[in-house]
Amino acid sequence: MEIGIDSFASAMYGDNNTLSSVDAMEQLLQRIEFADQVGLDVFGIGEHHKKEFLDSATAVILSAAAARTKNIRLASAVSVLSAADPVRVYQSFATLDLISKGRAEIVVGRGSSIEAYPLFGFNLNDYDKLFSEKLDLLLQIRDNEFVSWEGKFRPAINNLPVYPRALQKKMPIWLGVGGTPESFIRAGSLGLPLMVAVIGGQTHRFKPLIDLYREAGKAAGYKPEELKVGLHSPGYVGATTESAVADYYPGYSELWTKLGYERGWPPVTKGKFDGLIDDLGVLIVGSPERAAEKILRHREALGGVDRFTFQMDNAGLTHKQLMGAIELIGTKLIPLIKKG
């Protein structure tokens, strides 16, 4: 199983949230570089268009990271494809693939944060239709140098080439999903690797949806080994489970309560948090041993997981704390996962 980190390039952490955007970006690049050095497999950058995040130009950040790393794979997490031009998405990540010498990946989704739609002039009523059409175009561009294509939301392309071409012959394109059954079926039908964002509740509840993915893939003629499953969850690794909880809970409670207010969720309580960090809960917060145990349990419960990524910078943690967590993941947690 591959282990990595997803970041939203948060500009909100630090003492009293006074960190400048310049310093926040530099520290993010330092964390990616350090993750590469200690052996993490992948680092993903999300896409938001909000003041508190610096990740609106994902491929630019990843390209800067590519110049400072050697082995770690560099991915979006996720690219909001519905509000983007697939030609430019492919070109940006193909360029990243060249800079990184073949380490680029794209995770595409419709976006749970919807601010990109009005910003780029798209109608939320077309939420799924936009994604379906643009995913079709992106896959055609990925697989063909010359493209002929026609759709509703973008001008047609008549036998035109798209350059540059990625170094990888078939640059990985993952489908990022939440909890919509149709999304799991779509990923399986297309034979695309699946990245499941699990941010609340109990992870094993996604097993029926992942089964739908695998069944759809089998029906479409794909082999089981071609149908990869990734899991993205909030979490944090500390020297001990007690210290990890003490570090993580205050910022998690503050930020997720704020997000809940925006989306209609109830506020975070300590009791609810304790349920999320128990054996079946989604949050991977604890010592390397505790975190490895939960990840392996999740893998078994879901019938196999090929990649797990932590979302850590959404809880007000400092750069020093995040660097410490990365070191523990690389030096202690990953060896435990490999043994398991």
Side-chain angles (χ1 to χ4, degrees):
M1 186 194 305
E2 295 177 325
I3 302 293
I5 290 173
D6 290 332
S7 171
F8 295 164
S10 172
M12 295 181 64
Y13 61 86
D15 294 337
N16 300 316
N17 298 334
T18 58
L19 194 69
S20 73
S21 295
V22 170
D23 289 339
M25 187 65 75
E26 172 57 28
Q27 290 181 3
L28 172 61
L29 292 172
Q30 289 175 13
R31 292 197 295 277
I32 302 174
E33 187 174 10
F34 187 53
D36 181 52
Q37 292 169 358
V38 299
L40 274 68
D41 297 295
V42 59
F43 207 108
I45 300 292
E47 180 190 338
H48 298 82
H49 303 269
K50 295 183 176 182
K51 182 178 181 179
E52 58 265 38
F53 302 117
L54 302 174
D55 60 350
S56 64
T58 306
V60 177
I61 299 174
L62 293 173
S63 293
R68 300 167 66 148
T69 57
K70 295 180 180 179
N71 299 306
I72 197 165
R73 298 195 67 79
L74 301 166
S76 59
V78 303
S79 294
V80 185
L81 185 62
S82 304
D85 184 340
V87 174
R88 294 300 284 160
V89 171
Y90 177 83
Q91 289 174 325
S92 295
F93 280 86
T95 302
L96 168 64
D97 203 47
L98 297 175
I99 295 170
S100 66
K101 298 180 175 62
R103 293 184 281 131
E105 301 187 6
I106 314 175
V107 183
V108 296
R110 297 178 298 181
S112 59
S113 295
I114 58 174
E115 68 276 356
Y117 289 81
L119 183 63
F120 295 108
F122 293 101
N123 190 330
L124 275 170
N125 291 329
D126 299 322
Y127 187 71
D128 189 68
K129 293 177 181 177
L130 280 162
F131 182 75
S132 180
E133 179 176 294
K134 292 187 176 187
L135 177 60
D136 175 65
L137 176 54
L138 180 63
L139 292 174
Q140 288 200 41
I141 295 169
R142 192 268 307 266
D143 296 340
N144 302 281
E145 182 176 346
F146 282 78
V147 176
S148 292
W149 178 91
E150 186 174 352
K152 177 181 178 181
F153 299 102
R154 188 202 185 281
I157 302 174
N158 184 18
N159 195 36
L160 293 175
V162 178
Y163 299 122
R165 303 306 299 173
L167 177 62
Q168 299 175 87
K169 186 175 181 180
K170 199 161 188 174
M171 182 168 55
I173 296 176
W174 296 65
L175 191 59
V177 300
T180 306
E182 292 78 9
S183 295
F184 288 79
I185 293 169
R186 173 160 46 204
S189 298
L190 294 170
L192 297 177
L194 182 77
M195 179 56 70
V196 187
V198 185
I199 62 174
Q202 297 181 328
T203 302
H204 70 268
R205 66 189 173 89
F206 280 83
K207 176 64 160 57
L209 293 169
I210 291 174
D211 287 345
L212 285 177
Y213 164 69
R214 292 181 170 128
E215 290 164 6
K218 181 180 179 180
Y222 294 99
K223 299 176 181 178
E225 59 269 24
E226 294 179 280
L227 301 172
K228 293 185 177 181
V229 174
L231 191 63
H232 157 105
S233 295
Y236 174 68
V237 179
T240 67
T241 295
E242 293 75 15
S243 67
V245 170
D247 287 347
Y248 189 79
Y249 175 70
Y252 175 88
S253 175
E254 178 184 350
L255 293 181
W256 283 85
T257 295
K258 179 179 181 292
L259 184 61
Y261 177 78
E262 296 173 355
R263 298 190 182 184
W265 302 337
V268 175
T269 64
K270 186 59 166 64
K272 182 179 178 181
F273 177 81
D274 289 342
L276 292 172
I277 64 171
D278 70 10
D279 288 350
L280 300 180
V282 60
L283 296 183
I284 308 290
V285 179
S287 66
E289 294 78 14
R290 171 64 173 165
E293 177 189 8
K294 282 196 67 172
I295 292 170
L296 292 172
R297 184 183 294 113
H298 289 342
R299 181 175 70 180
E300 182 178 359
L302 297 176
V305 172
D306 300 284
R307 174 179 291 182
F308 179 87
T309 56
F310 287 88
Q311 164 58 286
M312 294 197 302
D313 64 357
N314 61 346
L317 297 162
T318 66
H319 177 60
K320 182 178 179 181
Q321 289 172 317
L322 292 169
M323 290 285 274
I326 291 169
E327 182 173 13
L328 289 170
I329 291 169
T331 61
K332 295 193 174 182
L333 184 145
I334 288 178
L336 290 170
I337 294 292
K338 288 181 178 178
K339 286 181 182 178

